[in-house]
């Protein structure tokens, strides 16, 4: 038991005393082999330092760009494999040292295993060189990607400015088009009103005798005493007011036509013709509402038929007989 205790103390001292271990290795294996063990320990320390530097390099590279995440993941796996191999190599070296301390007869096997370790270290060194080359290539790729991103951002800024300029030009063009359409609509309205005034005698001539445009003074003389200026203004807002004698009717009564002109006659035109004819009917009888235009909506057509309006399209009259029966006194 005392021998076992002494042996245990001796082994514990050997484990914790590097100089004693070195001296014992020199006695057991010779100076060259002991130096080789020291070199392996130094090489293991160097490999650990190199692995730590490589790990720090990968972490810094991961912070610089998310665009190379896959490549960094690959590099992390490679470093993990290297670290695993390093841990395995360290464990092998520790086991080899322990076996060298315990068993003298295993020197041949230890030598062979050390050769394998040297091969692994050489392979590890070569692999680390490839990792460093990959890291250099990755850094260059990051630099190139950064330059490309800067160029893309500049192009995007220029494109955004061009789009904003184009949007402003389009808005201006839309506004100009709207103004032109309004102007064209006004011109067309004026043209249709002027045409209606010029064509009224010819259009209503077959049905009325002495067709004429009602003079403003005459309308003013009739309307102003009854409806006042506001009533006169609303009646004179009619596009055309025509008068003539219905010589086909008994006593050939004078008929007044209140005409609303529009490129597309809609229900609002029908309503205005009815309203202004009703105002004029308060100062004189036999007032017929008329709508005049090249086109007529279906709703306006229905209202015109229902309210007995005369419709003028392309110089032709529709609803004349019904309008006479509705609005002209024949007694």
């Amino acid at each position: 038991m005392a021998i076992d205790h002494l042996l245990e103390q001796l082994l514990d001292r050997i484990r914790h005393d590097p100089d004693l271990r070195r001296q014992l290795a020199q006695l057991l294996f010779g100076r060259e082999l002991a130096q080789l063990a020291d070199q392996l320990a130094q090489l293991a320390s160097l490999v650990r330092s190199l692995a730590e530097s490589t790990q720090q390099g990968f972490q810094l590279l991961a912070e610089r760009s998310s665009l190379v995440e896959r490549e960094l993941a690959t590099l992390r796996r490679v470093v993990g494999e290297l670290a695993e191999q390093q841990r395995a190599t360290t464990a092998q070296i520790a086991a080899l040292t322990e076996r060298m301390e315990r068993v003298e007869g295993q020197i041949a096997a230890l030598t062979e295993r050390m050769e394998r370790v040297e091969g692994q270290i050489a392979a590890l060194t070569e692999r680390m060189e490839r990792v460093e080359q990959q890291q250099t290539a990755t850094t260059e790729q990051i630099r190139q990607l950064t330059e490309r991103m800067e160029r893309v951002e500049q192009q995007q800024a220029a494109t955004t400015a061009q789009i904003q300029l184009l949007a402003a030009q389009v808005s201006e063009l839309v506004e100009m088009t709207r103004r032109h359409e309004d102007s064209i609509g006004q011109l067309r309205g004026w043209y249709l009103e002027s045409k209606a005034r010029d064509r009224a005698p010819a259009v209503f001539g077959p049905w009325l005798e002495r067709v004429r445009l009602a003079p403003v003074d005459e309308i003013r003389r009739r309307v102003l005493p009854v409806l006042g200026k506001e009533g006169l203004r609303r009646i004179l807002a009619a596009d055309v007011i025509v008068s003539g004698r219905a010589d086909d009717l008994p006593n050939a009564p004078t008929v007044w036509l209140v005409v609303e002109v529009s490129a597309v006659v809609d229900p609002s035109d029908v309503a205005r013709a009815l309203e202004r004819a009703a105002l004029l009917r308060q100062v004189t009888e036999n007032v017929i509402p008329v709508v005049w235009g090249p086109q007529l909506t279906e709703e306006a057509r229905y209202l015109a038929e229902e309210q007995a309006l005369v419709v003028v399209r392309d110089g032709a009259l529709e609803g004349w007989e019904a309008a006479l029966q509705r609005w002209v006194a024949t007694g």
Side-chain angles (χ1 to χ4, degrees), residues 53-76 131-143 146:
S53 300
T54 303
Q55 183 67 25
Q56 294 175 358
F58 280 126
Q59 292 176 354
L60 179 60
L61 185 61
E63 294 173 356
R64 291 182 59 187
S65 174
S66 62
L67 299 177
V68 291
E69 190 62 27
R70 293 183 180 178
E71 295 182 7
L72 290 178
T74 302
L75 292 177
R76 292 193 189 98
V131 169
E132 291 178 352
Q133 294 175 356
Q134 292 176 354
Q135 180 178 354
T136 301
T138 302
T139 303
E140 177 63 20
Q141 290 178 352
I142 292 174
R143 186 189 64 79
T146 301

Side-chain angles (χ1 to χ4, degrees), residues 208-241:
L208 295 176
E209 182 184 15
R210 300 176 185 175
V211 179
R212 64 190 180 98
L213 296 177
V216 174
D217 290 341
E218 182 179 349
I219 297 174
R220 188 175 189 277
R221 179 174 53 80
R222 289 173 177 267
V223 173
L224 190 60
V226 179
L227 301 180
K229 290 186 177 181
E230 177 61 22
L232 176 63
R233 182 193 65 78
R234 292 168 62 185
I235 291 176
L236 291 179
D239 296 328
V240 181
I241 299 178

Side-chain angles (χ1 to χ4, degrees), residues 248-295:
D248 289 341
L249 297 178
N251 301 323
T254 298
V255 175
W256 296 80
L257 305 177
V258 179
V259 184
E260 285 296 313
V261 181
S262 179
V264 180
V265 176
D266 59 20
S268 63
D269 297 310
V270 175
R272 282 194 296 271
L274 287 169
E275 177 191 2
R276 290 161 183 170
L279 285 173
L280 185 59
R281 199 173 291 115
Q282 294 181 31
V283 298
T284 185
E285 59 181 359
N286 303 329
V287 180
I288 299 177
V290 181
V291 288
W292 184 320
Q295 297 183 33

Side-chain angles (χ1 to χ4, degrees), residues 79-237:
V79 171
E81 293 174 359
L82 293 177
E84 185 64 27
Q85 291 181 4
Q86 178 183 343
R87 288 193 292 271
T89 301
T90 302
Q92 290 174 357
I93 292 174
L96 179 61
T97 302
E98 184 177 355
R99 291 184 66 183
M100 287 172 63
E101 293 174 352
R102 292 200 313 263
V103 183
E104 184 178 359
Q106 296 180 353
I107 295 176
L110 178 61
T111 302
E112 181 181 356
R113 193 163 187 176
M114 289 175 62
E115 291 177 352
R116 291 198 302 271
V117 169
E118 289 178 353
Q120 291 176 352
I121 293 174
L124 178 62
T125 302
E126 181 181 356
R127 196 164 187 177
M128 287 302 300
E129 291 176 353
R130 292 198 299 269
V131 169
E132 291 178 352
Q133 294 175 356
Q134 292 176 354
Q135 180 178 354
T136 301
T138 302
T139 303
E140 177 63 20
Q141 290 178 352
I142 292 174
R143 186 189 64 79
Q144 294 177 358
L145 288 173
T146 301
E147 293 179 355
R148 290 183 62 184
M149 284 301 298
E150 291 176 353
R151 292 195 297 270
V152 168
E153 289 176 353
Q154 294 174 357
Q155 293 175 354
Q156 183 177 1
T159 302
T160 301
Q162 291 177 353
I163 291 174
Q164 291 175 349
L165 178 60
L166 181 59
Q169 292 175 347
V170 169
S171 298
E172 183 178 356
L173 181 59
V174 169
E175 180 62 22
M176 290 176 60
T177 302
R178 186 189 63 78
R179 291 197 299 268
H180 289 165
E181 289 177 349
D182 293 343
S183 299
I184 292 172
Q186 292 177 356
L187 290 174
R188 188 178 184 186
W190 294 336
Y191 167 74
L192 290 175
E193 290 179 16
S194 177
K195 183 178 180 181
R197 291 189 185 95
D198 293 340
R199 293 281 298 161
V203 170
F204 297 109
W207 289 271
L208 295 176
E209 182 184 15
R210 300 176 185 175
V211 179
R212 64 190 180 98
L213 296 177
V216 174
D217 290 341
E218 182 179 349
I219 297 174
R220 188 175 189 277
R221 179 174 53 80
R222 289 173 177 267
V223 173
L224 190 60
V226 179
L227 301 180
K229 290 186 177 181
E230 177 61 22
L232 176 63
R233 182 193 65 78
R234 292 168 62 185
I235 291 176
L236 291 179

